[in-house]
Amino acid sequence: MKKMAIISSSFCILISFALLSTGYGDEEREGAKVKRVLFVFGDSYADTGNLPTSISRSWKSPYGITFPRKPSGRFSDGRVLTDYIASFLGIRSPFPYRQLKSLNASTIRYGINFAHGGTGVFPTLQVDQPNMTTQIDFFQQLVEKNVYTSQELSSSIALVSLAGNDYSTYLARNGSFQRTISHSPHILLKQHIWALNYETAAPVFKYLDLYNAFISALKIDQNSPGNLTDKLKPCCGGVEGEDCGLVDNNGVKKYVVCKNPSHSFYWDSIHPSDKGWRAVYLALKRSLTSLLL
């Protein structure tokens, strides 16, 4: 099996984002024929439809109005980072794990998405859904059942996206962070990556700076045609503090949607829009290219 590589980054101190590669393979790019497999783990920044339709607003209008023009379980008006990473690899976005029983050998050839919105490394207050440990267990079960060949696994990439759900759960339970925390998770993450590289005696664990990708995307010239003009104001905002997508008992919308989502970096109060994620992806593209060399 080829060498394993992890590329990770953090968004401020709240998001830990990792890209795990179990092979370097050929140098494919967007639109090229590839033999890569993408496995996705994490929360709503990576989820493409794993949460049950009965509990998640991501399955309700107006989510998905840009892509695929109907709610698809993504926390955006369109694509999320998972979709753009898959595009970079030249593959289709992997199907959600919840659809596994209806998938066949052809539809799973590009991988599986195990990410569940609202989850974290540990159980969270947001949702009672599979956390990171359980998601990895799902993957391990597929490996043990030989769903993927050793060749597919050796050229696979695992995208692990964790936002602030663990932190918000801690704050809700404890009120504040302990004063004994002297280093931010951003620094601790780099230290662990260094340790893993030391253990493997090779620089196979690499850091991808998602934080600065967000900063770069938000600094795009507002006067440039076609660029984002609304940087921090969500396109879909709830009325009187309600969440995007909510309706009252009579079906009346408790939210408003901006006229042009493509001008907004954020779709709702937490998640980037399709255009916002694209801007982040473009800022990451050079790093992604170098990581696959």
Side-chain angles (χ1 to χ4, degrees), residues 36-37 91-95 100 102-112 147-148 152:
R36 292 194 181 277
V37 181
I91 62 177
R92 68 170 301 161
S93 193
F95 282 90
L100 184 61
S102 63
L103 301 179
N104 54 42
S106 176
T107 52
I108 66 171
R109 64 172 300 203
Y110 296 122
I112 294 291
V147 174
Y148 293 95
E152 289 173 326

Side-chain angles (χ1 to χ4, degrees), residues 3-22:
K3 291 183 178 179
M4 178 181 296
I6 291 183
I7 309 102
S8 65
S9 71
S10 71
F11 172 55
C12 198
I13 63 171
L14 298 180
I15 298 176
S16 176
F17 179 94
L19 197 62
L20 168 65
S21 170
T22 56

Side-chain angles (χ1 to χ4, degrees), residues 8-16 167 183-193 207-212:
S8 65
S9 71
S10 71
F11 172 55
C12 198
I13 63 171
L14 298 180
I15 298 176
S16 176
Y167 294 99
H183 296 288
S184 75
H186 175 81
I187 297 174
L188 293 174
L189 182 59
K190 283 188 173 181
Q191 291 176 344
H192 283 296
I193 292 173
Y207 186 82
L208 180 65
D209 195 344
L210 185 60
Y211 169 75
N212 278 313

